[in-house]
Amino acid sequence: MTLATFAKDTRHAFAENPLTLVAVVIFTLLLLCAILGPSLVPYDPLMTDSNARMVPPSWQHWFGTDHLGRDIFSRVVVAARLDLGMAVTAVAASFVIGTSLGAIAGYRGGFVDQLIGRVFDTIMAFPLFVLAMGIVAALGNSVVNIIIATAIINLPFYGRYARAEVNVRRDAAYVEAARMGGNGSVRILARHIVPNILPPMMVQASLNMGWAILNAAGLSFIGLGVRPPEAEWGIMVSEGASYIFSGEWWTFVFPGMALVLAVFCFNLLGDGLRDMIDPRRRT
Amino acid sequence: MGSAIPSLIGVIIATFLLSRALPGDPAVYFAGPAANAESVQQVRESLGLDKSVPEQFALYVWDLAHGSLGTSLTTGQPVADDLLQRLPASMELTFAALIVAIVVAVPLGVFAAVRPSSFVDHFCRGTVTVAAAFPTFFVALLLVYVFYYLLGWAPQPLGRIDEIYYVAPDTVTGFYLIDTLLAGDSESFRGALAQLVLPTISLALFALAPIARMTRASMLTALGSDFVRTARANGLSGATVLFTYGFRNALLSITNIMGMIFSFLLGSNVLIEQVFGWPGIGAYAVSAVIASDYAAVQGFILMMAVIYVLLNLVVDLLAGLIDPRVRFEG
Amino acid sequence: MTAPPLLKVDKLSLDFRTREGRVKALQDVSFHIDRGEILGIVGESGSGKSVSAFAIMGLLESTAEIGGGSVHFAGADLLADNGAAMRAMRGREISMIFQSPRTALNPIRKVGRQIEDVLRRHGPVTGHEAKKKAIEALERVRIPDSARRYDAYPFELSGGMCQRVMIAMALACRPMLLIADEPTTGLDVTTQAVVMDLIREMVDETRMGALLITHDLGLAGEYCDRIAVMHAGHTVEDAPTEVLLEKAAHPYSARLIAATPAAADEIADLGSIPGGLPDLRRQDLPYCRFRDRCDRRVEVCDAQPLPVTELTGSHLVRCWRPT
Ligand SMILES: Nc1ncnc2c1ncn2[C@@H]1O[C@H](COP(=O)(O)OP(=O)(O)OP(=O)(O)O)[C@@H](O)[C@H]1O
Ligand SMILES: [Mg+2]
């Protein structure tokens, strides 16, 4: 794929699916919140105010305040860093490790292949969220362990794909040529095989992001990982949930919507990216 | 069938390794936060932590084979008993959601495929994309807010049946809907159903998207296939073409994603039980995790994995019923 | 006057609406088939052979638009027929078989059941009768051990066997016309002969008509009574087989024959016919769609619509300068 055709496909993908453009805008917004969040927001996200508890949305507090009088808008914006950070780190880790393991398995074959395959199969033998709970429970209740758990349950998606693709390409002519040229296995994998399978893997990663966000937020919703008073969407929804019976909807709706927006954005980006990379698979 | 046994072995090894991955001394961990030196020693012996790792594993498998998952610190009961007692609640919810998801998503997908680019198709795809972005627990809370707090249509989201107005049925299957019917108590049946509606919808909504998407895609493939053209060329009626030729073939791809659907459902179940105060194994596990009741957590994970493996086995068998090629290979 | 032909396609024109404009897939396509006769339609890929067949069957996609002409079958106007009547006719009076028989059969249904589906559709039969008739249909296409084959799935049968099953299915209701769209493509040479012999036998036995669509002029020459040559949506020549093979009048037919050495050889690769089909999406298609590839071109070719000339004895050619 040349750069020119990629540019053409990109334009095409935007024209065909304007939602991708929407996704890019949301993505930029989220990124802005994640990077500059603390300096953008009107209030300190951790600052309590006993005079302004449970204030409904208003000009002072766009998203209202919570039971401690903290400004929910500020908390939602600042939380982007932690939520996206957890998801990005987890997906990046499983991308790198999964792809490497899969590539080794596919290239080597034999016992190594079987062993790595078994590990992936075993991960997939669990309902994934349940496994993530178990991993956090075993490793300890912390943000780092949430990331590790999310990374582990995502491993097979990259690993299996990379394995299959590498296995097919292992004996391709250009790989054979590189081998003749005296390149070692690692070099062949890194320089000649893996770059060829990266574009579809990127699509997978983007589609995975939404899921990783849901997963991490789900874990903190049930009280794992992130501890109060830290601002994080899942835990904010969970804290707000207690006030549902007194009708203080803003406490959980805004952080929830932030989650929806982020997941929606990554799902659309993934779809758009897939269209750009592989125009044939457009549905 | 071929994949179920290795999966089970993998699951057992993985849960064992997880329990040994505990940072620090597993005995202290299993004994719980309130343990003293004596009880830690007791736990160490009962788990065989003073023995070699292979011996520990053998002990672990031996216990499992005898149905022992250890004792819960929080309830003081054998974990296996706790789980079995709560399992029907979780399964009733999961199956209800599965059925709702299939009953809604499959016709939607079929319809979208039969009339591609129609309003229904676009509507269906739009809804499916949006629905996929909503976290189950958030949907659950929204539903509770709207249908319980604002409209007052739904009962209070606290458990499987409101014991103030209704009587919980005697346990036969453990599924309230079935047990109330068996007892001929239509009052309680309605009570149980009312409690079940919102959690079921919340859970089903997330499974809806992938099923509808897959149904649409596989129906499109099937209807565009050579054999459907042959069927049309032979004058077969629209219904025969659509169902006997199109849908049955599409079903194969649909069964292929059921594994993923079950994974979603069983996982999200934990979150939904949390929102609705549902007395299932998910809620049990969450309190166990928070209380560092490790034996209970481990038992829960193991049970979920076994259920998952069994469900996948059932799907494989179904796929074999539909597709002779699978049957003949096996 | 002789009796009217079984099938008569007269000046049929057909466009496809696509995003890039209209594709003029067929223009003034004419041919006919009598009872007990096999008509071959030959022409390179994209010349409109399959589209013609689908138009007869009423199996066109919704993007197809009939621009003019008529299709008459046993006296009935097929284009005027509504959907239900056409559906009732398909499989009972006109049947069609396709290439790649393995994928053309439902992979997860017993072949016997698939034949039964057709039988049940077209007549009230009891379950027992249907099964008996399905086995008979299998016997008729010389499938050995047909009672056992009834229970086979397509993946258990060879390609040739699957094609016979498809023929059995098509002939189960004893139709008057069989359309075979490249029925032997993808089969090995021996199996090809077996399948073609079978079709020939069925035609001779039941006096039905058959339309054989093929790339392979050699195959058509061997099995067809008459051959129509198509090029870019035109029928350019139509003649009894021997006449066409010996005295082809259209330059395209002549080249086709020249490109088919010694009876059987595929003409899929038309290396010896320079140029390709014109782009059928063009709005200013020339009167003669062969003009760019033709060495007999004269001024009148571009100036006026092509005439259809009848040479000796039902030999039709559409060209200004036939030989
Ligand atoms: N659905 C369609 N939409 C647009 N154009 C079409 C469609 N179907 C066929 N055509 C066009 O009609 C022309 C004739 O196609 P047809 O399939 O009849 O060719 P053919 O002679 O059967 O070729 P082959 O030997 O490859 O089967 C081609 O130019 C093709 O591009
Ligand atoms: Mg064709």
Side-chain angles (χ1 to χ4, degrees):
Chain A
M1 181 166 42
T2 69
L3 211 59
T5 62
F6 181 73
K8 191 167 139 254
D9 283 342
T10 308
R11 241 179 301 128
H12 209 80
F14 279 140
E16 288 253 306
N17 197 351
L19 275 180
T20 309
L21 206 60
V22 175
V24 171
V25 172
I26 303 176
F27 179 68
T28 318
L29 209 74
L30 285 173
L31 214 59
L32 217 67
C33 292
I35 296 169
L36 300 174
S39 47
L40 289 178
V41 294
Y43 296 90
D44 178 347
L46 297 182
M47 188 191 69
T48 57
D49 179 353
S50 52
N51 294 323
R53 288 189 189 144
M54 288 298 182
V55 177
S58 65
W59 282 115
Q60 255 99 50
H61 299 284
W62 292 355
F63 292 177
T65 61
D66 64 9
H67 59 292
L68 297 176
R70 295 173 297 195
D71 179 52
I72 292 180
F73 175 73
S74 305
R75 286 174 68 73
V76 167
V77 169
V78 167
R81 182 179 292 178
L82 183 53
D83 274 277
L84 297 186
M86 287 195 296
V88 168
T89 320
V91 169
S94 48
F95 184 101
V96 172
I97 299 171
T99 309
S100 313
L101 284 178
I104 293 169
Y107 191 77
R108 273 291 163 80
F111 175 70
V112 177
D113 185 14
Q114 280 188 349
L115 186 72
I116 294 177
R118 266 279 148 254
V119 171
F120 292 154
D121 287 350
T122 301
I123 294 175
M124 295 300 286
F126 289 90
L128 293 178
F129 185 76
V130 170
L131 180 60
M133 274 174 74
I135 293 171
V136 176
L139 298 183
N141 199 343
S142 73
V143 171
V144 173
N145 290 337
I146 284 210
I147 295 173
I148 293 177
T150 308
I152 291 178
I153 62 174
N154 274 318
L155 273 185
F157 296 107
Y158 301 97
R160 284 179 171 178
Y161 188 87
R163 184 203 166 274
E165 292 292 312
V166 170
N167 203 25
V168 172
R169 282 157 219 265
R170 180 169 64 174
D171 304 315
Y174 66 92
V175 174
E176 204 58 56
R179 209 172 287 140
M180 298 294 210
N183 289 292
S185 316
V186 175
R187 206 181 146 83
I188 289 178
L189 267 177
R191 295 288 293 276
H192 297 277
I193 299 186
V194 170
N196 275 305
I197 62 172
L198 274 185
M201 306 275 296
M202 299 292 293
V203 175
Q204 174 74 45
S206 173
L207 288 171
N208 241 205
M209 271 295 294
W211 196 62
I213 293 174
L214 285 181
N215 195 72
L219 288 173
S220 50
F221 178 79
I222 57 174
L224 292 180
V226 185
R227 306 269 171 100
E230 192 85 38
E232 190 275 341
W233 296 330
I235 204 169
M236 287 172 73
V237 174
S238 144
E239 283 171 357
S242 344
Y243 302 97
I244 217 173
F245 300 115
S246 43
E248 279 124 352
W249 54 271
W250 57 90
T251 47
F252 74 93
V253 167
F254 290 112
M257 285 315 293
L259 270 173
V260 172
L261 207 64
V263 176
F264 188 61
C265 160
F266 282 107
N267 286 354
L268 285 183
L269 275 185
D271 286 341
L273 210 56
R274 177 175 53 204
D275 290 353
M276 281 173 222
I277 285 171
D278 186 1
R280 275 166 304 138
R281 283 232 314 249
R282 255 175 225 152
T283 43
Chain B
M1 183 73 75
S3 69
I5 305 285
S7 290
L8 279 180
I9 296 173
V11 160
I12 290 170
I13 295 176
T15 44
F16 174 77
L17 290 180
L18 265 185
S19 70
R20 269 45 183 187
L22 302 172
D25 183 353
V28 173
Y29 210 84
F30 271 93
N36 53 28
E38 201 176 325
S39 55
V40 169
Q41 186 54 35
Q42 230 171 7
V43 167
R44 178 167 294 129
E45 274 162 27
S46 75
L47 288 178
L49 289 171
D50 41 0
K51 303 203 172 71
S52 71
V53 174
E55 274 175 306
Q56 290 179 36
F57 183 67
L59 200 64
Y60 176 71
V61 175
W62 176 259
D63 281 347
L64 282 184
H66 289 77
S68 162
L69 297 171
T71 305
S72 162
L73 294 169
T74 20
T75 65
Q77 303 284 326
V79 171
D81 292 356
D82 278 350
L83 287 173
L84 283 177
Q85 189 200 338
R86 290 166 173 81
L87 185 62
S90 298
M91 288 299 108
E92 184 169 36
L93 178 54
T94 307
F95 285 129
L98 179 67
I99 292 168
V100 168
I102 290 177
V103 165
V104 175
V106 169
L108 260 185
V110 169
F111 198 91
V114 173
R115 301 238 177 292
S117 304
S118 67
F119 170 74
V120 174
D121 186 18
H122 288 302
F123 175 79
C124 170
R125 279 207 277 169
T127 330
V128 157
T129 314
V130 173
F134 275 75
T136 26
F137 56 88
F138 183 50
V139 173
L141 289 171
L142 284 178
L143 290 178
V144 169
Y145 180 69
V146 173
F147 291 100
Y148 168 66
Y149 179 78
L150 287 184
L151 299 173
W153 294 357
Q156 202 170 8
L158 289 174
R160 305 175 74 186
I161 198 159
D162 193 333
E163 307 238 6
I164 297 174
Y165 301 109
Y166 306 103
V167 199
D170 295 335
T171 306
V172 183
T173 58
F175 286 31
Y176 276 14
L177 288 188
I178 298 175
D179 287 353
T180 50
L181 283 184
L182 287 179
D185 184 352
S186 60
E187 280 287 295
S188 300
F189 175 79
R190 244 173 291 142
L193 187 63
Q195 297 293 130
L196 193 59
V197 171
L198 287 192
T200 301
I201 294 177
S202 329
L203 197 51
L205 219 54
F206 205 60
L208 212 77
I211 301 180
R213 201 181 273 228
M214 193 50 153
T215 308
R216 177 181 180 276
S218 53
M219 266 312 268
L220 277 178
T221 311
L223 289 179
S225 68
D226 286 359
F227 57 84
V228 162
R229 188 183 57 184
T230 309
R232 290 215 173 99
N234 281 308
L236 297 193
S237 66
T240 314
V241 171
L242 197 60
F243 293 105
T244 313
Y245 285 71
F247 186 63
R248 273 208 213 156
N249 279 279
L251 258 185
L252 285 178
S253 324
I254 301 174
T255 55
N256 277 339
I257 59 155
M258 285 320 285
M260 190 185 73
I261 301 293
F262 288 136
S263 177
F264 272 169
L265 286 179
L266 293 175
S268 308
N269 205 37
V270 177
L271 299 164
I272 296 292
E273 288 185 7
Q274 198 66 2
V275 173
F276 289 92
W278 202 258
I281 56 177
Y284 174 75
V286 171
S287 19
V289 172
I290 304 297
S292 299
D293 183 354
Y294 199 77
V297 176
Q298 194 182 32
F300 162 75
I301 294 166
L302 201 62
M303 177 170 266
M304 279 296 217
V306 170
I307 292 171
Y308 183 51
V309 170
L310 291 180
L311 284 174
N312 278 323
L313 183 63
V314 171
V315 171
D316 282 352
L317 294 178
L318 282 181
L321 280 185
I322 301 168
D323 190 350
R325 288 165 295 187
V326 176
R327 243 183 354 255
F328 281 64
E329 270 165 34
Chain C
M1 274 310 280
T2 49
L6 179 64
L7 176 83
K8 184 164 175 59
V9 176
D10 196 28
K11 298 220 172 83
L12 183 66
S13 299
L14 186 152
D15 292 356
F16 284 103
R17 291 184 307 263
T18 69
R19 270 194 217 173
E20 291 89 26
R22 300 176 82 85
V23 178
K24 297 180 178 164
L26 300 181
Q27 196 201 20
D28 290 344
V29 166
S30 303
F31 54 83
H32 69 276
I33 301 173
D34 287 319
R35 288 191 147 258
E37 171 185 72
I38 302 183
L39 171 73
I41 293 190
V42 298
E44 68 200 284
S45 203
S47 52
K49 307 183 297 288
S50 300
V51 171
S52 305
F54 286 126
I56 297 167
M57 294 293 292
L59 284 175
L60 290 163
E61 295 157 57
S62 55
T63 57
E65 206 175 273
I66 306 256
S70 64
V71 178
H72 283 272
F73 172 74
D77 182 354
L78 291 190
L79 297 184
D81 250 336
N82 62 42
M86 195 64 230
R87 270 202 299 282
M89 191 174 269
R90 284 203 288 267
R92 192 173 65 189
E93 269 133 61
I94 312 180
S95 290
M96 185 162 175
I97 61 175
F98 305 91
Q99 69 174 59
S100 51
R102 271 166 174 287
T103 58
L105 292 173
N106 188 342
I108 60 172
R109 200 161 171 78
K110 290 177 178 171
V111 294
R113 293 299 299 251
Q114 297 188 47
I115 298 176
E116 264 186 45
D117 287 339
V118 181
L119 288 164
R120 282 169 198 277
R121 166 71 177 91
H122 295 297
V125 280
T126 63
H128 188 69
E129 262 173 27
K131 179 162 183 177
K132 218 177 92 208
K133 283 190 169 182
I135 294 176
E136 274 169 23
L138 289 171
E139 259 161 27
R140 230 178 300 142
V141 295
R142 322 264 185 275
I143 289 183
D145 208 356
S146 48
R148 199 167 55 85
R149 289 287 200 272
Y150 173 95
D151 285 320
Y153 290 95
F155 74 95
E156 299 173 278
L157 301 176
S158 68
M161 216 36 115
C162 284
Q163 190 57 281
R164 284 198 231 187
V165 170
M166 245 216 295
I167 296 174
M169 201 186 311
L171 301 186
C173 296
R174 304 191 178 263
M176 289 191 276
L177 177 67
L178 175 71
I179 300 178
D181 191 352
E182 308 189 22
T184 59
T185 308
L187 300 182
D188 63 74
V189 185
T190 357
T191 320
Q192 254 187 35
V194 172
V195 169
M196 284 314 304
D197 287 341
L198 181 67
I199 292 177
R200 182 78 250 182
E201 266 175 63
M202 293 292 142
V203 168
D204 293 343
E205 222 171 81
T206 62
R207 303 284 303 151
M208 68 176 180
L211 176 61
L212 173 70
I213 292 174
T214 177
H215 280 131
D216 187 343
L217 192 54
L219 191 80
E222 202 171 327
Y223 291 96
C224 298
D225 301 298
R226 281 186 309 110
I227 295 176
V229 179
M230 283 194 77
H231 177 263
H234 283 167
T235 30
V236 294
E237 188 160 11
D238 181 342
T241 304
E242 312 79 58
V243 177
L244 185 93
L245 292 181
E246 274 155 36
K247 288 186 255 175
H250 194 279
Y252 178 63
S253 316
R255 295 245 195 102
L256 269 188
I257 293 163
T260 312
D265 198 25
E266 292 266 319
I267 53 160
D269 148 49
L270 278 175
S272 54
I273 302 186
L277 296 177
D279 183 354
L280 297 180
R281 282 169 306 192
R282 263 170 54 183
Q283 290 313 299
D284 55 338
L285 275 171
Y287 290 122
C288 176
R289 295 181 178 182
F290 190 62
R291 71 181 286 282
D292 293 338
R293 307 161 83 179
C294 186
D295 50 13
R296 292 187 211 156
R297 197 167 87 218
V298 288
E299 257 161 45
V300 67
C301 296
D302 288 332
Q304 288 179 44
L306 297 174
V308 177
T309 322
E310 174 149 14
L311 307 174
T312 50
S314 66
H315 180 180
L316 300 175
V317 60
R318 187 200 277 200
C319 182
W320 276 110
R321 295 187 63 198
T323 47

